[in-house]
Amino acid sequence: MKHIVAPRIQVDAEPDPQQVKGLLDRAGVQAETIGTVNWGEFPYRPEVKFRIAHTGTCILLHYVVNERTSRAAYGDDLGRVWTDSCVEFFSSPSDDGYYYNLETNCIGTVLLCCGKNREGREAAPGRVLDSVKRYATLGRQTFDERPVGQWELSLVVPSSFWFKHDIKSLSGLEVTANFYKCGDELSTPHFLSWNPITIDHPDFHRPDFFGRVRFE
């Protein structure tokens, strides 16, 4: 099982998502790779890195993706963003069986739900979705699949995104989590994970294969 320590970054106010990359750079936060090909029938491995830190009340996430082609068909939150060029942060902040899927396509469209398994998941209310601040280098307009090369995505995610739990502070919190890159309906579908998933068919809804993130 992989482990990450997410360092705390001191800020005077909640940062704008366009500031995330610079904050992580100045703090020397190291990148992790989303590069595990778990299923041989989907061998394509785009280059995907992410960094994670926190401010005490917000998670800072920054993704860098290099892939052959990208797509952003969904511009409204709670859409089928996993079919686009998509990065994902799945996490469980407690041992009660609930986990959250925070999925974001390459233009910052978010899908956020909670539940104990793949079926019957509860979608985040609008106020929670709106609280997740995003900056995408590709902008926010939808587009059909095309060669793009590199794109970046920055997120500022308040601890209240775990909307079925009451978590006020991230400091000292340890959660189980996994990070993914997918593109279910791209011309070259792919399903990469940070922590390996040892099952026969693609399925990211497997908290039994989460790694660990400790918020410093």
Side-chain angles (χ1 to χ4, degrees), residues 51-80:
R51 292 186 290 171
I52 184 170
H54 75 103
T55 66
T57 58
C58 291
I59 300 170
L60 308 180
L61 277 169
H62 180 248
Y63 298 91
V64 180
V65 177
N66 282 277
E67 58 185 346
R68 292 173 190 157
T69 59
S70 302
R71 188 187 85 165
Y74 291 90
D76 294 328
D77 287 349
L78 300 181
R80 293 166 52 87

Side-chain angles (χ1 to χ4, degrees), residues 36-187:
T36 302
V37 174
N38 299 287
W39 301 286
E41 64 267 41
F42 300 101
Y44 174 51
R45 192 201 314 261
E47 296 178 8
V48 187
K49 302 281 189 181
F50 74 93
R51 292 186 290 171
I52 184 170
H54 75 103
T55 66
T57 58
C58 291
I59 300 170
L60 308 180
L61 277 169
H62 180 248
Y63 298 91
V64 180
V65 177
N66 282 277
E67 58 185 346
R68 292 173 190 157
T69 59
S70 302
R71 188 187 85 165
Y74 291 90
D76 294 328
D77 287 349
L78 300 181
R80 293 166 52 87
V81 297
W82 67 90
T83 66
D84 285 339
S85 298
C86 186
V87 287
E88 304 182 350
F89 171 47
F90 280 42
S91 61
S92 179
S94 72
D95 59 2
D96 59 5
Y98 285 97
Y99 68 94
Y100 295 78
N101 55 302
L102 176 60
E103 310 179 22
T104 316
N105 70 7
C106 58
I107 60 170
T109 308
V110 162
L111 171 66
L112 173 59
C113 300
C114 179
K116 291 189 174 183
N117 50 53
R118 173 184 283 278
E119 305 302 326
R121 299 185 65 71
E122 179 180 345
R127 59 176 174 78
V128 174
L129 293 167
D130 291 344
S131 74
V132 179
K133 306 305 181 186
R134 323 94 191 250
Y135 170 68
T137 56
L138 295 179
R140 297 299 302 273
Q141 297 299 311
T142 59
F143 60 87
D144 294 330
E145 186 172 357
R146 68 182 190 222
V148 167
Q150 179 172 299
W151 54 269
E152 300 181 29
L153 175 73
S154 297
L155 302 175
V156 178
V157 186
S159 61
S160 56
F161 95 103
W162 289 312
F163 58 91
K164 291 186 72 69
H165 296 80
D166 184 23
I167 296 174
K168 297 293 193 293
S169 174
L170 292 162
S171 297
L173 180 69
E174 184 166 317
V175 306
T176 57
N178 213 343
F179 299 82
Y180 307 121
K181 169 68 177 77
C182 61
D184 289 37
E185 292 183 1
L186 297 188
S187 55

